[in-house]
Amino acid sequence: MFLTISTSGSSERPATDLGFLLHKHPARAQSFTTSHGLAHVFYPEATEEACTAALLLETDPVGLVRRGRGKGRGGSPDFALAQYVNDRPYAASSLLAVALNAVFHSALKGRCDLRPELAAAPLPLRIGIPALPAKAGRDGGPELVRRLFEPLGWQVEAEPIPLDPSFPEWGDSHYVRLGLTGELRLADALGQLYVLLPVLDDAKHYWVAPDEVDKLLRVGEGWLGEHPELPLITRRYLARRWSLARSAMERLELARLAEADDREVEEIDNAVPQETPSTGEAAGGTDEQAQAVPTLAAQRREAIVGQLRAAGATRVADLGCGEGALVAALLKEQWIAEVLGVDVSSRALSIAAHRLRLDRMPERQKARVRLVQGALTYTDTRLGGYDAAVLSEVIEHVDPPRLPALEYAVFGAARPGTVLVTTPNVEYNVRWESLPAGRVRHADHRFEWDRAQFRAWAERVAERYGYTVRFAPVGPQDPEVGPPTQLAAFTRTNDTAADAASTDTAATAAATTEQGPAR
């Protein structure tokens, strides 16, 4: 296996600076032992005007046979002698990617302690690989090579290699001669090669463990999340291990949402509930009563199901579904045809899928439910067309300046016929003996409203978007402070009037943008 990295320069910025970045002196040839052979680094040319570093990997064929069986573990299962006769010693693959990381580890991380300004600056680069696997077809061939590298700023030359130049009628092999030209940071170029070489080969010579997800996201930081071929890259890099690919996609989507909200990932991936009075205790009772009275969370779900039944809603979107308790309750109702669960937290969605046993759910039941990741402060085409939407204990987790964006996304853009909103009644907090005075019920609550504040908000939203609203208590009614949870049931009335209001609100809710289907 062979790879060259070339750059050009001048007397002011000599091309031999490439040696500083790679931490390999241009005047010396060096050899390094890798897990599957010997890697040699040398410089065919090294002048002020032009410098080329070459990496030659000599694999150990016996070591490949001993360490791996079948494609993806060092061999190829295409025919009986594949473990002895294959392309592994010659074609660029995960073997070369691992050698890149081992030999140019500091350069791949963007470190150059002697010349840090070099590591931060883009260089005119040319990458050459004489034999790169790229099987023909929609997901292969020179076209796939271009689809992978061109979005990253490379000019791509992918020349098919004939099976035998003496017999052109045999056609081309599934290998290409690759040339990449572009101006990038060396660390970015090496990171892209580290990820995309195994993707094009569509195999790995070692077992893909869960830590490969961390490795992919670390090396792909800054370019992978926006790549148009993200699903294919993720699937192939993780050797088609679907659970790992799904985890990587969820984490990338969460990072994108956090960046869009200018927040840390940890701030928004916090939807897994903690033990709080509002979820973990029977509503306002003693220990003896707690054994007989349903928890407030159960009463809340029962109230929501009753409201949906009365509204005649059969297709329901649970917005901010968390760990899926309401989704599970809705699936028990035979009159519910479809449930969409949406949450910004990938951890919460994973827990929901596990608790719902989606992987073992009968096909007819599985067709009724879908869990997707999304932020409710962005308009999302996936939310359209549902009879009802539920925001159960959600709005209090949204920063007040972001509430107009949520209002528009749900009431202005999605516009279901019924919207149910529940939120804590802060007046009732004095009845929780375990809750210190002045504290909110959950560490992530940005606010908690009294009954008058909630009513004022709900009536304003209803008037703006063409809904009527009525209110109902959830949990035991206290004569002085009211119920522990307050519920607002919105019913859509006037679409014509709402259209104008929605247009006006869309212009003012500057944080609201199109989110669309998860990538």
Side-chain angles (χ1 to χ4, degrees), residues 22-258:
L22 293 174
H23 297 261
K24 303 293 180 286
H25 198 288
R28 295 204 309 267
Q30 302 178 61
S31 298
F32 305 86
T33 301
T34 71
S35 57
H36 287 81
L38 198 60
H40 307 279
V41 178
F42 57 95
Y43 288 78
E45 61 176 342
T47 67
E48 288 186 344
E49 293 75 25
C51 184
T52 297
L55 173 62
L56 174 66
L57 179 62
E58 291 185 290
T59 57
D60 175 10
V62 176
L64 287 177
V65 173
R66 287 175 176 170
R67 289 182 173 89
R69 293 290 188 273
K71 194 167 185 179
R73 297 297 299 277
S76 172
D78 295 339
F79 59 97
L81 296 178
Q83 61 177 334
Y84 301 106
V85 182
N86 56 60
D87 65 356
R88 298 298 85 182
Y90 314 107
S93 65
S94 61
L95 293 165
L96 184 59
V98 169
L100 270 176
N101 183 41
V103 175
F104 299 136
H105 185 69
S106 295
L108 182 62
K109 296 178 68 174
R111 283 183 49 203
C112 184
D113 296 337
L114 293 176
R115 303 280 299 278
E117 73 282 359
L118 284 180
L123 297 175
L125 294 173
R126 178 170 177 81
I127 309 293
I129 301 177
L132 179 67
K135 291 185 178 180
R138 185 194 175 281
D139 282 339
E143 179 56 34
L144 175 61
V145 179
R146 283 187 280 270
R147 290 189 352 239
L148 290 178
F149 285 102
E150 285 181 348
L152 301 174
W154 293 104
Q155 294 181 16
V156 180
E157 302 170 23
E159 178 188 352
I161 299 175
L163 282 171
D164 190 327
S166 302
F167 300 94
E169 65 272 15
W170 289 1
D172 295 326
S173 68
H174 65 259
Y175 304 94
V176 299
R177 185 176 293 106
L178 177 66
L180 301 174
T181 305
E183 191 160 322
L184 290 85
R185 290 193 321 132
L186 180 63
D188 294 334
L190 293 176
Q192 292 161 11
L193 290 170
Y194 179 81
V195 171
L196 296 180
L197 290 182
V199 168
L200 283 162
D201 188 42
D202 200 13
K204 282 203 169 183
H205 68 279
Y206 57 88
W207 175 251
V208 176
D211 64 353
E212 285 293 302
V213 175
D214 297 326
K215 196 183 303 181
L216 171 64
L217 300 187
R218 183 176 64 252
V219 179
E221 184 177 1
W223 61 271
L224 179 61
E226 301 299 323
H227 199 291
E229 296 294 337
L230 171 62
L232 180 142
I233 293 171
T234 304
R235 184 172 66 250
R236 286 191 172 196
Y237 180 86
L238 297 169
R240 302 181 187 272
R241 291 195 62 188
W242 303 111
S243 61
L244 298 184
R246 184 167 56 251
S247 173
M249 294 289 287
E250 288 173 350
R251 289 172 59 181
L252 284 166
E253 178 66 8
L254 188 64
R256 187 182 72 83
L257 294 171

Side-chain angles (χ1 to χ4, degrees), residues 436-469:
R439 292 280 297 274
V440 293
R441 301 185 195 179
H442 190 289
D444 188 57
H445 284 186
R446 309 309 166 93
F447 60 86
E448 287 181 356
W449 283 333
D450 59 30
R451 287 169 290 175
Q453 290 171 313
F454 182 54
R455 180 177 290 271
W457 172 82
E459 290 176 346
R460 177 181 58 79
V461 170
E463 181 180 4
R464 168 164 287 187
Y465 292 102
Y467 283 77
T468 60
V469 62

